[in-house]
Amino acid sequence: MWTKAFDRLLTHLIRRGRLVVTFADGTTRHYGSEDAPMAELTFHDPDLPRKIVLSPDLAVGEAYMDGRLTIANDDLYGFMSLAMSNMASQGQPWFRRPLVIGRWMMRRFKQFNPVKRAQKNVAHHYDLSGELYDLFLDEDRQYSCAYFSDPEMTLEAAQEAKKHHIARKLLIKPGMRVLDIGCGWGGMGLTLARDYGAEVTGVTLSREQHGIANARAKEAGLAEQAQFKLMDYRHVTGKFDRIVSVGMFEHVGVPHYDEYFNTLKRLLTPDGVALVHTIGRAGMPGATSAWITKYIFPGGYCPAMSEAMTAIEKSRLITTDVEVWRLHYAYTLRHWTKRFEANIDKARDLYDERFCRMWRYYLITSELTFRANKHVVFQFQLSPEKESVPLTRDYLYQEDKDGAQQAAE
């Protein structure tokens, strides 16, 4: 029964390119057309067809990690590109839709992130060995989407461009109090303190990130100007001229969106400005991959714009600008994957082969989610007042215009 259901699933999905599957009993089946691209899979677990029908993303990810599914030439990128592009085109067959609806209905429970649970979720991912992140991130440890004004930019240049693009949107002046929610290893906060003269308070729930961020501030001579605290953003008090949150909103969870934006409203001065940078969906609301939830980001979710905007409207904050980055994260993840693969022996020494396969699967499928599916990055610029920022975007590019004028002279 399960083999037939699996056969119907792949017959429905694979229309472009060709997929060859060799089952555990030695039987081989072909799906799709004779056109390239082609991928070849071998199952080493007779129960894999059933698991894939019930939960494709979880079953395929786990089987690849465990070696119960192997790919010819270990071409994970080629196989996932074929699979995900076809899934994006064809959608789910009718007999899987009740399972998809059930997973969607459970999402609010899975995204319920009170403080203690949020701290546990953060530790699951961000308190891994700091040496791991050194293997694939840029020198500043920016673990969010870079800004590629030119696709040929280096990762370091694109991450610097991202930080300064955000700083321009924040319209920071020396001495302004800035709150960095989800400050990571401190790179954004240190840039705002060093290059823009801001007084920065960063908050994180990761002990690893907290320790490194403060050590970096001390080493840079910015310990008085940039301070990083181990605390939940909901516990922050006081008022701030600016609030920045990069790559943190994905961990908030739909049940807490109202709480999140109400907190921003509470902490901003009357003419303050906030910038929220988050992965999102350029489509309808959905549910997080079961594999991602289990192995990478428990409690995480990337919102549709409608979900975020509904909560923003309720908070009575004014949306002064929305920018959508489309392929920037695909470029970023491609850099990370290449660097991780170049250092995979070091990663294996830190963990084991299964972890390396898991991390490679995470990076590659994430890139392809931005290429084949509707994932993008949103930047929401928010303020309690309409006139807190200029009426046009010209101020974002004034520095470039001044530089071009000086060069011409």
Side-chain angles (χ1 to χ4, degrees), residues 63-366:
Y64 178 76
M65 289 164 56
D66 298 337
R68 292 179 289 111
L69 177 156
T70 54
I71 307 167
N73 302 315
D74 199 21
D75 184 13
L76 178 60
Y77 191 95
F79 161 58
M80 292 306 301
S81 180
L82 174 68
M84 293 176 72
S85 61
N86 275 279
M87 288 175 67
S89 298
Q90 310 306 329
Q92 297 287 344
W94 67 268
F95 58 87
R96 282 214 75 256
R97 288 174 189 166
L99 298 172
V100 174
I101 292 171
R103 186 159 62 90
W104 191 87
M105 292 177 66
M106 287 292 292
R107 71 189 192 130
R108 293 189 73 89
F109 170 74
K110 292 184 179 294
Q111 295 170 34
F112 180 61
N113 295 321
V115 175
K116 288 186 178 179
R117 188 172 182 181
Q119 190 161 23
K120 182 179 178 181
N121 290 342
V122 166
H124 176 91
H125 191 88
Y126 295 99
D127 284 348
L128 295 170
S129 169
E131 295 176 67
L132 168 67
Y133 293 100
D134 289 336
L135 299 181
F136 66 96
L137 297 182
D138 64 301
E139 293 180 359
D140 195 42
R141 279 199 181 184
Q142 289 294 303
Y143 195 24
S144 58
C145 180
Y147 187 54
F148 288 85
S149 56
D150 178 351
E152 300 303 317
M153 291 172 72
T154 66
L155 179 62
E156 278 72 18
Q159 290 291 14
E160 280 294 311
K162 180 265 301 289
K163 289 185 292 181
H164 292 291
H165 187 76
I166 289 172
R168 291 181 188 181
K169 284 189 173 183
L170 288 169
L171 295 148
I172 295 177
K173 296 178 182 177
M176 281 187 168
R177 296 190 65 209
V178 178
L179 174 64
D180 184 353
I181 298 177
C183 61
W185 292 277
M188 187 79 230
L190 292 173
T191 296
L192 297 180
R194 181 186 61 244
D195 297 344
Y196 296 88
E199 300 289 334
V200 178
T201 299
V203 294
T204 178
L205 290 176
S206 166
R207 296 183 183 279
E208 180 82 13
Q209 291 181 337
H210 171 250
I212 291 175
N214 279 311
R216 291 182 66 191
K218 184 177 181 180
E219 183 180 353
L222 294 169
E224 295 297 321
Q225 198 177 338
Q227 299 180 6
F228 302 97
K229 300 180 180 180
L230 187 66
M231 66 185 302
D232 190 279
Y233 73 96
R234 289 166 280 200
H235 295 162
V236 176
T237 59
K239 289 289 184 179
F240 296 87
D241 303 295
R242 300 291 186 261
I243 298 176
V244 62
S245 182
V246 180
M248 180 272 178
F249 189 64
E250 299 91 328
H251 302 285
V252 170
V254 173
H256 303 277
Y257 283 2
D258 290 349
E259 183 179 29
Y260 176 87
F261 288 109
N262 285 334
T263 299
L264 263 60
K265 177 73 181 300
R266 172 175 62 84
L267 295 173
L268 277 173
T269 58
D271 61 348
V273 178
L275 191 289
V276 179
H277 169 118
T278 179
I279 300 171
R281 301 166 187 264
M284 296 178 64
T288 304
S289 153
W291 186 86
I292 288 289
T293 297
K294 183 174 181 178
Y295 290 99
I296 306 298
F297 294 119
Y301 174 69
C302 302
M305 186 180 289
S306 58
E307 294 174 294
M309 290 303 299
T310 298
I312 292 170
E313 291 165 5
K314 289 180 183 178
S315 74
R316 305 181 75 85
L317 285 167
I318 294 170
T319 306
T320 52
D321 196 291
V322 178
E323 186 174 5
V324 181
W325 296 4
R326 287 156 289 143
L327 289 173
H328 294 268
Y329 220 147
Y331 297 147
T332 305
L333 283 153
R334 192 61 178 153
H335 279 279
W336 289 349
T337 301
K338 288 181 177 179
R339 292 182 179 207
F340 181 76
E341 290 178 336
N343 290 299
I344 201 163
D345 289 340
K346 295 179 181 178
R348 198 175 288 113
D349 291 339
L350 289 172
Y351 293 98
D352 55 25
E353 180 62 31
R354 186 174 187 267
F355 180 91
C356 290
R357 294 171 75 83
M358 177 189 77
W359 208 259
R360 185 166 175 260
Y361 187 86
Y362 153 56
L363 293 174
I364 288 175
T365 55
S366 295

Side-chain angles (χ1 to χ4, degrees), residues 18-72:
R18 182 158 56 107
L19 181 64
V20 180
V21 179
T22 300
F23 294 82
D25 63 2
T27 304
T28 298
R29 287 191 172 90
H30 298 249
Y31 302 93
S33 65
E34 294 298 318
D35 299 332
M38 184 185 81
E40 297 182 53
L41 307 182
T42 300
F43 291 177
H44 307 283
D45 175 2
D47 199 30
L48 201 47
R50 178 186 68 84
K51 294 176 180 176
I52 290 176
V53 170
L54 293 175
S55 183
D57 54 341
L58 180 61
V60 170
E62 288 186 329
Y64 178 76
M65 289 164 56
D66 298 337
R68 292 179 289 111
L69 177 156
T70 54
I71 307 167

Side-chain angles (χ1 to χ4, degrees), residues 1-19:
M1 179 185 75
W2 291 109
T3 301
K4 287 183 179 179
F6 175 84
D7 193 66
R8 291 176 67 183
L9 174 64
L10 264 65
T11 299
H12 168 84
L13 288 178
I14 308 300
R15 306 290 180 86
R16 301 175 183 174
R18 182 158 56 107
L19 181 64

